[in-house]
Every structure is written in C-alpha cells, then in structure tokens.
Amino acid sequence: MDPRPIPSPPGSPPVRNASVLLHNDAGVYLLHLRDNLPGIWEPGSWSLPGGGGEPGDRSLAETARRELREETGLDLPGLEPFAVETATGTDGSPVLIQVFTARWNGDPATLHLTEGVLLHWFRPEVMPRLRLSLSTLELVHRHAGLPAPTGWPVSPQEPPAGETGADPPGRRP
C-alpha cells in the first residue's frame, strides 16, 4: 500500500482529512449514521468514518486508521488510497478528503461505536433512499463499478423498515 495521498490539483488547499470506504465480500458498504447535532459536519446523515488530521499523524493513511479506530474500534492496517473527494465544510468552504478503501467482513453490531448513532451495511442500490451526500453516493457507485446515480436528489428519508438493502437479520455478511 502506498500511504501517500493522491495529489491535489494545483492551487487547491492541501488534503488534511481522510475517510474510509469499508466494503465486504458480499458487495455491501458500511455507513456511519452521524449524530444529529447542530454545528457538526452532515448532522443526522449517513457517511463514511473519518475525520481531520491531528499533529501526531504522519500520513493521511495514519489519519484514516486513527479515525476508524476512534470511531468504530476497528484497526485495519491495509488501507488502499482510492480517491480525493471534495466535501462542503460546516462553514460552506470546500474540504478535500483522501478516501481509502478497506475490506471487512464483520458484524457492525459487535463494534464499539464512540461517535455517531449506528453503523450498518447497505447495498449501493438502496443508498439513494438514504440521507447522505451526493459525493458519498457517487463514490460508492464508482467503487462498486455502477453507473452514476440518477434521480438525485431524493427525499431525505430513511427506507421503510426491512428495506435497508442489508442482509436479513441473523445473516451476517
């Protein structure tokens, strides 16, 4: 694995944030339901685990591993750089995020969640029904080799009970 970030376009700010796109062997993706608190980035939305670099982080891969460990308890050393995405910060300014991918086949119910509300597996096809950013949706579709999502934006509502796109209860991916 090359822990160096994908270069930023000339003239753009340096990448100081990192997220992890977790997927499993069944082709589903782990999303993190963020707290619905004012003043945080994307409150009440599904997103990827991640966050900003800290002074002790030697690389963006280290930032991603630390954030993943802090938020979920997962320690996955084999992160692969995937893309640099642009998100909108809480102040409305663009924020560059280095996205890494990792494969994990566990049960999110067993993780020690320290931030947010919930971790859950979702199939890419149902993600347009979730409250999440268009950039996250496009990122997952790109990683899954699917065409760009259409019909966006959709109503920011949760899918009906039982239609999360995850495996049925009792079956672990």
Side-chain angles (χ1 to χ4, degrees), residues 17-23 29-32 47-51 60-69 71-72 74-83 97-104 119 121 136 139-140 143:
N17 297 280
S19 293
V20 181
L21 180 63
L22 289 165
H23 57 97
Y29 292 81
L30 191 68
L31 295 180
H32 177 228
S47 67
L48 305 178
L60 287 167
E62 194 169 293
T63 297
R65 282 192 301 272
R66 179 187 48 75
E67 286 286 341
L68 186 62
R69 193 173 45 253
E71 293 177 9
T72 69
L74 280 174
D75 190 7
L76 301 175
L79 303 180
E80 295 291 329
F82 181 66
I97 303 170
Q98 171 70 61
V99 179
F100 293 86
T101 62
R103 187 178 308 266
W104 181 67
L119 294 164
W121 291 111
T136 299
L139 181 77
V140 169
H143 185 267

Side-chain angles (χ1 to χ4, degrees), residues 20-126:
V20 181
L21 180 63
L22 289 165
H23 57 97
N24 68 14
D25 292 336
V28 294
Y29 292 81
L30 191 68
L31 295 180
H32 177 228
L33 181 58
R34 297 182 53 77
D35 292 309
N36 193 14
L37 299 173
I40 68 167
W41 183 72
E42 293 191 346
S45 295
W46 291 95
S47 67
L48 305 178
E54 293 184 358
D57 296 342
R58 294 173 292 181
S59 67
L60 287 167
E62 194 169 293
T63 297
R65 282 192 301 272
R66 179 187 48 75
E67 286 286 341
L68 186 62
R69 193 173 45 253
E70 287 176 3
E71 293 177 9
T72 69
L74 280 174
D75 190 7
L76 301 175
L79 303 180
E80 295 291 329
F82 181 66
V84 173
E85 296 293 310
T86 303
T88 303
T90 56
D91 64 357
S93 65
V95 175
L96 295 176
I97 303 170
Q98 171 70 61
V99 179
F100 293 86
T101 62
R103 187 178 308 266
W104 181 67
N105 287 296
D107 178 359
T110 65
L111 297 177
H112 179 68
L113 186 63
T114 60
E115 290 182 26
V117 178
L118 180 70
L119 294 164
H120 192 76
W121 291 111
F122 289 96
R123 294 190 184 289
E125 309 82 67
V126 301

Side-chain angles (χ1 to χ4, degrees), residues 126-132 137 150-157:
V126 301
M127 287 184 188
R129 295 185 284 177
L130 299 175
R131 182 176 179 190
L132 78 163
L137 181 63
T150 59
W152 192 272
V154 295
S155 172
Q157 63 186 16

